[in-house]
Amino acid sequence: AQSVTQPDIHITVSEGASLELRCNYSYGATPYLFWYVQSPGQGLQLLLKYFSGDTLVQGIKGFEAEFKRSQSSFNLRKPSVHWSDAAEYFCAVAPWGTGGGNKLTFGTGTQLKVEL
Amino acid sequence: DAGITQSPRHKVTETGTPVTLRCHQTENHRYMYWYRQDPGHGLRLIHYSYGVKDTDKGEVSDGYSVSRSKTEDFLLTLESATSSQTSVYFCAISGGASGAYEQYFGPGTRLTVT
């Protein structure tokens, strides 16, 4: 079974600083990978996804993520953080080729705080 | 935003009572999912549906049942609520133009079992 590890429970950055949130997965093949963001009291919003092809993927709100097969990682990055980026971020994995519908496995989340 | 609503949005109930949560979608997506979110655990899949009357168990299905009699509605029932089922419950859908693998989430239902 697949698993996802987000090693940082909390991260604090200053507004305007760069951001990297770590995500490592365990799976026997290349999975489908996702990053979601959750603002307080809200549902989850899809930031970006990786299915295949270019290992650097762009998402919404200026976020990007890089898939590194050798490290089983899919880290989320943003060059300059805005105060509105404060939220909880979840990495998720779905097994490849399950033929439709997927059972996402989520990491435990990273809470991002932005200092003004 | 995907057309997903959940009802109720908040509920407080007593131990031992049955509870039903409703997820309604207007997107005509084939797949629907129920997750629970707890601190330190992220989101965990309870049950999912791959079509009308077609459902299957997820990671944490004990104590829960589901039904899907129409494409747009997916019900989650706690047969006899326990305090360990206090959680935030999210419904998700997939299977539209973006494919089966992209899931879109509803706003959540906060359930407290006293």
Side-chain angles (χ1 to χ4, degrees), chain A residues 6 9 32 34 36 38 41-46 49 51 88 90 94-109, chain B residues 1 9 30-31 33 35 37 40-45 48 56-59 88 90 94 98 100-108 110:
Chain A
Q6 293 181 248
I9 298 174
Y32 295 140
F34 306 84
Y36 284 85
Q38 183 182 33
Q42 304 294 315
L44 278 72
Q45 182 182 22
L46 180 64
K49 61 185 183 290
F51 287 176
E88 190 158 22
F90 292 93
W96 180 85
T98 51
N102 75 82
K103 295 194 280 187
L104 284 177
T105 297
F106 283 86
T108 52
Chain B
D1 291 342
R9 294 293 313 279
R30 177 182 174 186
Y31 304 98
Y33 313 82
Y35 292 89
Q37 182 178 28
H41 291 277
L43 279 82
R44 293 177 290 175
L45 182 67
Y48 67 102
D56 205 351
K57 297 179 179 180
E59 177 187 356
V88 181
F90 287 97
S94 71
S98 55
Y101 291 92
E102 288 188 35
Q103 293 187 20
Y104 297 91
F105 285 78
R110 182 173 295 275

Side-chain angles (χ1 to χ4, degrees), chain A residues 22-70:
Chain A
R22 296 183 291 165
C23 173
N24 292 97
Y25 68 89
S26 174
Y27 182 60
T30 299
Y32 295 140
L33 296 159
F34 306 84
W35 275 101
Y36 284 85
V37 61
Q38 183 182 33
S39 298
Q42 304 294 315
L44 278 72
Q45 182 182 22
L46 180 64
L47 278 177
L48 47 76
K49 61 185 183 290
Y50 173 78
F51 287 176
S52 65
D54 193 347
T55 57
L56 184 64
V57 295
Q58 303 296 322
I60 62 172
K61 304 185 180 186
F63 285 91
E64 65 180 25
E66 186 172 13
F67 169 61
K68 292 186 177 180
R69 185 191 307 273
S70 62

Side-chain angles (χ1 to χ4, degrees), chain B residues 11-17 19 78 81-87 89 111-114:
Chain B
K11 186 170 182 66
V12 180
T13 192
E14 294 184 347
T15 298
T17 59
V19 177
L78 289 66
T82 68
S83 58
S84 65
Q85 294 176 311
T86 292
S87 187
Y89 292 85
L111 176 67
T112 302
V113 183
T114 61

